[in-house]
Amino acid sequence: MFLSLSFSITAQKVDLNYYVPSDEKYDSQIPTPKEVIGHEVGEWHVTHDKLVEYMKALAKASDRITLEDRGKTFEGRPLLLLTITSPNNHLRIDDIRERHIDGTNNPSLDVSEDPIIVYQGFSIHGNEPSGSNASLAVAYYLAASVSSATENLLENTVILFDPSFNPDGLQRFAYWANTNKSKNINPDPNDREYFEVWPRGRTNHYWFDMNRDWLPVQLPESRARIASFHKWLPNVLTDHHEMGSNSTFFFQPGIPSRTHPLTPQLNQDLTREIGAYHAKAMDKIGSQYYSEESYDDFYYGKGSTFPDINGGIGILFEQGSSRGHAQETSNGILTFPFTIRNQYTAAMSTLEAAKNMRVKILKYQQDFYKKARNESSKAKAIVFGDHKDAAKSFHLAEVLKRHQVAIHEVKSDFRANGKQFKKGYSYIVPMNQKNQRLVKAMFDVRKSFKDSLFYDVSAWTFNHSFGVDYAENVSLSNAGPKIETLRIQEGSVSKSSTVGYLMPWNEYYTPKALNAILQKGLRAKVSMKNFKNGGVSYDYGAIHIPVQNQKLNSIELYNFLSEVAKESHLQIHGVTTGLNDGIDLGSNNFRNVSLPKVAMLVGNGVNSSDSGEIWHLFDQRYDMHVTKLDLIYFNRIDISKYTVLIAPNSRGLDKKAIEKLQKWVRDGGTLIGYRSAAKWLSDHKFINIEFESAKLDTVKEVSFEAKSLKNGAQVIGGAIFEATIDRSHPINFGYKNNKIALFRNTTLFMKADKKSYNNPIQYSNNPLLSGYISKENAKVIKNTVPFKVQRMGRGRVLVFTDNTNFRAFWYGTNKLLMNAVFFGDKM
């Protein structure tokens, strides 16, 4: 039951016995949380620094715990992992790990006497803090309890204990909740304590939802976590979350019809069996709960689903959130300590289930990999690459290596599936390997589904997201040596020149290079047409850096460009003549490029995830400044110094801000709008857009129960679509193919212009590449356009209905935004 007390008290009177059993004996040499952090668990929201302090104290005091610092977050906070097991197991921990991995490689190995490996992780969403706060009590109990049951548990279990999946987000939210806490705790949900300021504490430093990054592995927190996962291959992984305050407690399985087909049925059966332990434990303390009515196991990029394609069992916990210290809900007053106790209880019931089901779960994992090998025994290989973009191909190979997938060089150039795969620019992945099921999941293409509702995306196919050429069933005779250490291409300048330098625009890091060149105060021009120089072909968008009339002399320029090429992993060509086959270097078809001064709208009403993806792209990938302008003060500042302004997915601006923005565009600014911003930009006459929408068939026999399912089926939660591109248009500079894969999670459809040259990106007649779209929306999307650009005074307005920067792993369309930034004034 919920704590339903009179909240005229000055504080919530809880102590450690509210969480841990009071009828057990505890080792007095093990410090309690209060003795280290200065308050009881649940009295305040633990800050990450205090959480770290306590875990270090436990590791120092207990021979059951060792502590590993696996790296740092973007804000420099440690990414801790505790290994908790019996002292005897610690003495042979390396042998235990090696034998556990051997069990996944050798189906005849007897694993019945081996410990089970359980990875327990807490609060990947920082403003869902009951998990990390519960980790204090769980860790204390496992270190201090001297009961024979605990000793038996630790003798048979190795616990990989991650007390904070998201240190930066947890710290941000703890600061908010604690600084708004009253002495007399106020459960009124209208209190400021329960309304975080934008961007809120859910996300990491760059506002990413890290519980979507288990498969793409683009963030430092994820990289540390995935390295630990593959080092150990845990049998069970738990992921402790929170949900809406009026909810109770959820544990998996989720909705059965929304499980990915690559997940074995036995995985779900075992999850259900483990769930019986959670139910028993929750019944014991009188807490309400539910299962199999919401959430799903479809997208393998979530913590509770990722283990399912790696021979483990992932389990999601969702606790109704107090979002502060206590809050009135439809179930009574929900206190923070109550939410912590439920999380503690689920963590302990997981360990009980793992111990009791140990042999069954160990053998399930062993059989998982045995079947995977049998499936792959006659398989060939896949190949991916881009013969004009080595860096983009490298970063996809990098993801595979992080997941311990074996990859090989291409022995020599060859063609497959109508595409060229070039040595040094492509990679071969044999499918006769241990992790072939994981590889299948990464490159999965799926267009038919049991269910039409998805908790997250319905497609993530990596060759589409990275924008690389791809072929299946490739002969292994094309494979060169196995790559042990993956290295990105080294950049260089071919030779010194007294005429000029040419930089093809195809490579992923060309925007970084161009920005560095312009920041140096050097002149650079972009080619509006194809040409050849010295026998080398250059596509639309090639950058020309003249030698004459620069602030650097010829030697200084060569040395500077050599450093730029090295830092950006690309080739710059010194030329001996300005006479080309096609436009010459002195042609007016080379247009001057100016250093962009970029700003972006952020704050309430703007989607923080979309904003964070853009900020991360500029800051981490391209070393470019982007000034974040909060809507709180937007009307008070001078924006005339900015040449480009990005409006991420957002609800719109007030009248004064609209008028200010209109004047700025008319005066020559380039405005780039994403997703819903296209709608309000159209409504306020920034750009003329004719939208189309699906016409839903009238179905007379729809029950009240089925109403939400019918409406939900019209949502595009995340699918991949093919578009044809006009490569001569500046928005498409740098792309070598005439087709592009776009990620879409909106039902905004823009009608194509009657003039074809105004449709540089246009969906094909049957554009679905992978994922779910309703029949009604599938009819509408064909031949619509995801991009438009129009003049407004001396400026330009560009809009995208699709997300070109999705979750940091949609490398294939990042250049669309960079083209809009650098060349928007030429469209």
Side-chain angles (χ1 to χ4, degrees):
M1 55 184 279
F2 286 70
L3 288 185
S4 185
L5 307 174
S6 171
F7 270 74
S8 59
I9 58 176
T10 59
Q12 294 162 263
K13 301 296 184 183
V14 294
D15 61 28
L16 198 55
N17 287 331
Y18 180 63
Y19 311 106
V20 305
S22 58
D23 57 351
E24 290 190 25
K25 294 183 186 283
Y26 296 94
D27 184 347
S28 61
Q29 299 302 307
I30 304 300
T32 66
K34 185 177 181 179
E35 289 171 342
V36 176
I37 67 175
H39 62 80
E40 294 286 2
V41 175
E43 184 180 358
W44 293 88
H45 283 250
V46 70
T47 55
H48 187 260
D49 56 309
K50 287 187 175 182
L51 185 67
V52 168
E53 186 181 3
Y54 184 64
M55 296 304 161
K56 286 182 176 179
L58 281 184
K60 184 177 180 180
S62 173
D63 58 0
R64 296 174 177 177
I65 297 177
T66 59
L67 186 146
E68 176 187 358
D69 184 347
R70 300 169 294 171
K72 297 292 185 286
T73 68
F74 281 118
E75 295 178 12
R77 294 188 174 86
L79 297 166
L80 299 185
L81 184 73
L82 284 68
T83 302
I84 307 176
T85 190
S86 69
N88 181 55
N89 284 344
H90 271 299
L91 293 175
R92 57 188 186 96
I93 196 69
D94 290 337
D95 291 338
I96 290 174
R97 187 190 68 80
E98 289 174 9
R99 180 174 170 82
H100 179 74
I101 298 300
D102 285 346
T104 67
N105 295 324
N106 181 0
S108 63
L109 186 70
D110 182 8
V111 297
S112 60
E113 300 299 322
D114 295 347
I116 191 170
I117 314 301
V118 180
Y119 193 128
Q120 294 187 293
F122 302 89
S123 299
I124 201 164
H125 297 146
N127 61 358
E128 299 174 7
S130 56
S132 285
N133 282 267
S135 76
L136 294 163
V138 176
Y140 168 76
Y141 177 83
L142 294 173
S145 171
V146 295
S147 72
S148 59
T150 301
E151 290 176 349
N152 180 260
L153 167 70
L154 295 177
E155 194 64 36
N156 287 282
T157 312
V158 173
I159 304 162
L160 307 175
F161 197 80
D162 197 330
S164 174
F165 274 148
N166 181 3
D168 295 347
L170 183 75
Q171 186 78 10
R172 194 184 316 139
F173 181 75
Y175 165 80
W176 178 262
N178 290 337
T179 55
N180 285 285
K181 177 187 177 185
S182 300
K183 180 184 74 171
N184 297 288
I185 293 177
N186 184 358
D188 186 341
N190 293 325
D191 190 83
R192 188 170 189 260
E193 181 177 352
Y194 313 111
F195 286 87
E196 293 174 81
V197 292
W198 194 96
R200 294 169 282 281
R202 177 183 178 90
T203 52
N204 78 341
H205 176 77
Y206 284 99
W207 312 332
F208 282 99
D209 183 337
M210 291 197 299
N211 197 39
R212 306 296 185 267
D213 195 43
W214 290 74
L215 198 62
V217 207
Q218 295 300 304
L219 307 171
E221 300 92 338
S222 306
R223 292 170 189 172
R225 191 166 63 242
I226 291 303
S228 298
F229 183 95
H230 286 297
K231 179 180 178 180
W232 275 97
L233 290 180
N235 300 100
V236 178
L237 184 147
T238 57
D239 190 13
H240 291 252
H241 287 252
E242 291 182 0
M243 53 184 166
S245 299
N246 290 321
S247 300
T248 57
F249 190 88
F250 169 85
F251 53 81
Q252 283 185 314
I255 296 175
S257 61
R258 300 176 195 170
T259 301
H260 198 286
L262 291 177
T263 298
Q265 180 57 45
L266 185 53
N267 169 284
Q268 295 295 288
D269 296 340
L270 291 170
T271 303
R272 190 172 291 105
E273 187 174 343
I274 293 170
Y277 286 84
H278 305 320
K280 181 181 177 181
M282 290 293 173
D283 288 340
K284 185 176 180 180
I285 63 172
S287 285
Q288 298 178 12
Y289 55 84
Y290 69 99
S291 184
E292 299 192 58
E293 295 179 41
S294 58
Y295 303 101
D296 65 31
D297 269 325
F298 191 83
Y299 172 48
Y300 287 120
K302 296 186 300 178
S304 58
T305 311
F306 177 76
D308 299 344
I309 198 64
N310 287 282
I313 299 168
I315 299 176
L316 170 69
F317 297 121
E318 292 276 356
Q319 165 64 49
S321 180
S322 64
R323 279 295 190 272
H325 292 85
Q327 193 172 164
E328 295 168 358
T329 75
S330 60
N331 294 304
I333 292 177
L334 176 62
T335 70
F336 187 40
F338 180 85
T339 69
I340 295 171
R341 186 172 66 160
N342 279 350
Q343 299 278 25
Y344 169 88
T345 301
M348 298 309 301
S349 61
T350 298
L351 296 176
E352 182 184 6
K355 178 180 73 71
N356 292 345
M357 297 171 62
R358 178 180 59 83
V359 176
K360 184 185 296 187
I361 295 174
L362 284 168
K363 288 185 175 179
Y364 163 74
Q365 183 185 56
Q366 192 174 37
D367 189 58
F368 176 94
Y369 284 108
K370 177 183 177 181
K371 289 179 178 177
R373 284 191 185 85
N374 290 340
E375 292 168 6
S376 67
S377 60
K378 296 181 180 179
K380 292 185 178 181
I382 63 172
V383 61
F384 64 85
D386 185 325
H387 66 266
K388 291 190 176 182
D389 190 347
K392 192 170 59 177
S393 305
F394 164 85
H395 285 301
L396 176 50
E398 190 177 43
V399 173
L400 293 168
K401 287 291 286 183
R402 286 175 183 148
H403 286 296
Q404 296 191 2
V405 172
I407 60 175
H408 290 247
E409 297 176 10
V410 168
K411 186 178 1 181
S412 58
D413 299 359
F414 73 99
R415 293 185 68 84
N417 197 29
K419 303 293 184 182
Q420 179 185 355
F421 295 96
K422 185 177 178 182
K423 180 179 172 63
Y425 289 72
S426 304
Y427 302 88
I428 283 186
V429 184
M431 293 303 288
N432 60 342
Q433 61 173 294
K434 176 180 181 178
N435 286 330
Q436 63 91 16
R437 284 183 171 179
L438 178 59
V439 175
K440 284 183 179 178
M442 291 175 173
F443 295 92
D444 186 54
V445 174
R446 201 164 296 275
K447 298 182 184 180
S448 60
F449 304 88
K450 286 184 178 180
D451 205 318
S452 58
L453 301 185
F454 300 85
Y455 184 70
D456 198 70
V457 298
S458 62
W460 53 87
T461 316
F462 276 9
N463 52 297
H464 293 321
S465 63
F466 281 80
V468 293
D469 295 329
Y470 173 82
E472 297 177 344
N473 296 316
V474 173
S475 172
L476 286 168
S477 64
N478 294 299
K482 182 180 177 181
I483 298 174
E484 301 297 340
T485 303
L486 190 65
R487 291 185 176 88
I488 194 168
Q489 177 179 272
E490 293 185 5
S492 65
V493 177
S494 63
K495 58 187 172 185
S496 179
S497 173
T498 58
V499 176
Y501 297 89
L502 290 170
M503 180 177 72
W505 191 245
N506 307 98
E507 279 285 350
Y508 182 79
Y509 286 107
T510 48
K512 176 180 179 178
L514 179 57
N515 187 70
I517 290 166
L518 296 174
Q519 271 195 322
K520 192 70 173 179
L522 299 172
R523 293 189 302 113
K525 298 186 174 189
V526 61
S527 168
M528 304 301 288
K529 294 191 175 185
N530 294 334
F531 64 95
K532 287 184 179 180
N533 181 290
V536 178
S537 296
Y538 293 89
D539 290 341
Y540 303 101
I543 302 300
H544 172 216
I545 305 101
V547 172
Q548 298 304 314
N549 199 23
Q550 297 279 21
K551 62 184 295 184
L552 302 180
N553 64 40
S554 60
I555 296 174
E556 291 171 335
L557 180 61
Y558 170 75
N559 290 335
F560 174 72
L561 292 179
S562 295
E563 186 63 29
V564 168
K566 181 180 177 182
E567 290 292 322
S568 299
H569 315 290
L570 48 78
Q571 304 301 311
I572 297 176
H573 307 295
V575 299
T576 58
T577 179
L579 186 64
N580 294 336
D581 180 358
I583 58 171
D584 296 325
L585 295 187
S587 168
N588 287 334
N589 280 300
F590 281 92
R591 307 275 181 84
N592 287 323
V593 184
S594 301
L595 178 68
K597 295 182 180 179
V598 186
M600 176 175 64
L601 300 179
V602 299
N604 277 337
V606 180
N607 185 291
S608 60
S609 294
D610 290 32
S611 308
E613 290 160 359
I614 294 168
W615 177 23
H616 175 268
L617 181 69
F618 274 78
D619 197 33
Q620 289 292 325
R621 300 266 172 84
Y622 295 136
D623 288 339
M624 292 173 62
H625 288 144
V626 57
T627 300
K628 303 181 293 296
L629 304 179
D630 200 300
L631 295 178
I632 291 174
Y633 57 76
F634 180 76
N635 287 337
R636 303 197 301 270
I637 61 171
D638 179 10
I639 62 171
S640 62
K641 66 179 178 179
Y642 305 110
T643 61
V644 177
L645 194 147
I646 303 170
N649 185 28
S650 50
R651 294 197 299 263
L653 311 179
D654 61 34
K655 182 180 179 181
K656 185 176 179 181
I658 289 290
E659 292 173 350
K660 180 176 186 173
L661 202 53
Q662 287 172 333
K663 182 181 184 303
W664 175 83
V665 175
R666 290 191 185 101
D667 289 344
T670 298
L671 177 60
I672 304 168
Y674 273 99
R675 299 172 64 200
S676 294
K679 189 70 172 63
W680 61 260
L681 288 171
S682 175
D683 291 343
H684 291 284
K685 311 302 180 186
F686 284 85
I687 186 171
N688 297 318
I689 301 175
E690 186 176 348
F691 291 100
E692 297 194 89
S693 58
K695 295 178 175 60
L696 302 184
D697 295 333
T698 302
V699 181
K700 295 181 180 179
E701 301 297 328
V702 178
S703 67
F704 181 80
E705 180 184 25
K707 179 184 176 183
S708 62
L709 300 179
K710 183 178 185 300
N711 293 336
Q714 301 306 316
V715 173
I716 302 176
I720 308 170
F721 299 89
E722 180 182 71
T724 301
I725 64 172
D726 173 1
R727 294 194 299 117
S728 71
H729 194 286
I731 197 64
N732 297 316
F733 282 178
Y735 288 98
K736 67 177 180 59
N737 296 332
N738 294 322
K739 305 282 188 181
I740 193 169
L742 298 165
F743 176 84
R744 162 176 280 262
N745 54 357
T746 176
T747 52
L748 275 177
F749 304 109
M750 298 190 298
K751 191 174 182 179
D753 194 272
K754 293 179 181 179
K755 299 174 180 177
S756 61
Y757 54 78
N758 286 332
N759 303 316
I761 309 174
Q762 185 170 15
Y763 286 126
S764 59
N765 192 53
N766 186 24
L768 181 64
L769 290 172
S770 187
Y772 171 80
I773 185 172
S774 69
K775 292 179 180 178
E776 295 87 350
N777 284 324
K779 291 178 183 177
V780 177
I781 193 173
K782 56 178 62 178
N783 300 316
T784 59
V785 295
F787 169 79
K788 274 187 177 289
V789 56
Q790 289 174 15
R791 290 173 178 263
M792 183 179 185
R794 292 189 289 113
R796 303 288 191 281
V797 179
L798 298 76
V799 295
F800 294 95
T801 55
D802 298 358
N803 187 346
T804 62
N805 318 295
F806 187 63
R807 292 180 181 168
F809 76 97
W810 222 267
Y811 281 74
T813 51
N814 287 158
K815 190 157 284 182
L816 293 177
L817 174 56
M818 289 298 110
N819 286 343
V821 168
F822 283 103
F823 313 133
D825 60 350
K826 294 163 182 59
M827 297 179 191

